């Protein structure tokens, strides 16, 4: 009943993490991925099969399924804010575990992480940083954040709608680069994200290496 209600309120997904789980299962050598048995009014059972011998397992990170490739924008046009020196990143995700994992990676890389759990809350943070006592670097062009990383599917306001609202609210000189982070290999939605101003895309489960590479592309590491 609760899942049905949440799906009705948020048609983008029910937040079970099935896409990430399926990716991990496939990376571990499954040929069929996650499977499900479901019975009305009783619930669902998810299960999978993987090889039990180490020699049969592919290396973690090795491609085992054909996933649509989304080409990021060309980075030669990226001009990071040269006056703001804040090493602070806004991470937008409605999942506590995802926030913890990405947050730890960013903190290890030397960044302060501010969390928001949907696009609407994130807009409040960037529009009124003084209200939650986010200090700036005192420079004229200070934006308080050097990067925004947002999930695609969230209740209330998703990552694409957040990007649209953000670009409507801020002038080009004060805009912070926005990165889309999601397990959803949904070409149309991701390409729509690029059209409304998202600068790059990372697929979950995110690795520390891919996150560091991202920071380097934006000249933040």
């Amino acid at each position: 009943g609760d899942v049905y209600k949440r799906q009705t309120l948020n048609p983008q997904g029910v937040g079970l993490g099935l896409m990430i789980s399926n990716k991990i299962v496939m990376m571990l050598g499954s040929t069929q991925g996650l499977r499900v048995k479901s019975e009305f009014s009783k619930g669902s059972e998810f299960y999978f099969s993987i090889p039990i011998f180490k020699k049969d397992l592919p290396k973690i990170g090795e491609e085992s399924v054909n996933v649509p490739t989304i080409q990021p924008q060309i980075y030669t046009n990226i001009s990071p804010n040269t006056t703001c020196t804040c090493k602070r990143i806004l991470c937008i995700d409605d999942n506590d575990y995802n926030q913890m994992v990405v947050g730890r990676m960013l903190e290890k890389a030397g960044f302060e992480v501010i969390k928001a759990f949907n696009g609407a809350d994130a807009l409040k943070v960037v529009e009124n940083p003084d209200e939650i006592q986010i200090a700036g670097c005192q420079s004229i062009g200070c934006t308080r954040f050097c990067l925004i990383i947002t999930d695609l599917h969230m209740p209330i306001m998703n990552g694409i709608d957040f990007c649209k609202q953000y670009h409507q609210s801020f002038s080009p000189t004060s805009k912070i680069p926005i990165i889309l982070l999601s397990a959803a290999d949904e070409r149309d939605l991701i390409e729509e994200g690029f059209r409304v101003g998202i600068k790059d895309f990372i697929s979950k489960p995110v690795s520390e290496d891919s996150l560091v590479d991202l920071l380097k592309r934006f000249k933040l590491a």
Side-chain angles (χ1 to χ4, degrees):
D2 291 339
V3 172
Y4 173 79
K5 291 177 183 177
R6 185 172 178 183
Q7 177 70 12
T8 302
L9 293 172
N10 176 25
Q12 301 171 49
V14 295
L16 298 178
L18 296 180
M19 296 192 76
I20 297 176
S21 300
N22 187 62
K23 268 193 174 182
I24 293 173
V25 168
M26 296 298 289
M27 288 166 63
L28 291 172
S30 174
T31 58
Q32 296 178 314
L34 280 179
R35 305 173 72 182
V36 60
K37 294 179 181 177
S38 186
E39 188 173 348
F40 182 72
S41 297
K42 289 189 177 182
S44 300
E45 175 186 349
F46 298 90
Y47 62 99
F48 58 90
S49 298
I50 59 174
I52 60 172
F53 298 106
K54 185 176 181 180
K55 64 180 181 180
D56 294 328
L57 293 175
K59 294 179 180 179
I60 295 298
E62 192 176 84
E63 285 295 331
S64 56
V65 291
N66 293 322
V67 177
T69 300
I70 303 298
Q71 295 296 330
Q73 291 183 335
I74 298 173
Y75 300 106
T76 52
N77 294 327
I78 292 175
S79 53
N81 192 317
T82 55
T83 56
C84 182
T85 59
C86 292
K87 292 200 68 174
R88 183 183 296 113
I89 294 176
L90 176 60
C91 189
I92 314 169
D93 199 314
D94 60 326
N95 185 290
D96 288 326
Y97 179 76
N98 293 338
Q99 285 273 20
M100 179 189 70
V101 171
V102 175
R104 285 181 178 177
M105 291 180 185
L106 293 172
E107 288 170 354
K108 183 179 178 180
F111 293 89
E112 178 187 356
V113 178
I114 302 297
K115 300 177 181 179
F117 293 92
N118 59 68
D121 287 345
L123 282 175
K124 294 176 183 178
V125 171
V126 293
E127 289 174 349
N128 303 291
D130 291 329
E131 290 188 6
I132 55 175
Q133 299 180 339
I134 298 178
C137 60
Q138 307 303 317
S139 66
I140 295 176
C142 179
T143 55
R144 312 292 177 100
F145 298 94
C146 58
L147 201 67
I148 297 173
I149 300 177
T150 180
D151 190 30
L152 174 57
H153 293 304
M154 295 176 291
I156 303 176
M157 182 183 289
N158 64 33
I160 291 176
D161 288 341
F162 163 76
C163 189
K164 289 178 183 177
Q165 292 291 327
Y166 177 79
H167 283 290
Q168 290 172 4
S169 302
F170 289 83
S171 66
T173 56
S174 63
K175 287 177 181 175
I176 306 162
I178 300 176
I179 310 303
L180 191 65
L181 174 64
S182 179
D185 298 305
E186 298 168 300
R187 181 180 295 274
D188 291 344
L189 285 174
I190 296 167
E191 289 180 348
E192 181 184 353
F194 285 127
R195 287 194 294 270
V196 300
I198 283 167
K199 296 298 182 183
D200 204 347
F201 167 76
I202 304 180
S203 180
K204 294 178 184 177
V206 63
S207 69
E208 190 169 347
D209 287 343
S210 65
L211 202 55
V212 170
D213 287 343
L214 170 77
L215 297 173
K216 289 180 179 177
R217 289 200 294 273
F218 285 86
K219 302 178 182 179
L220 296 174

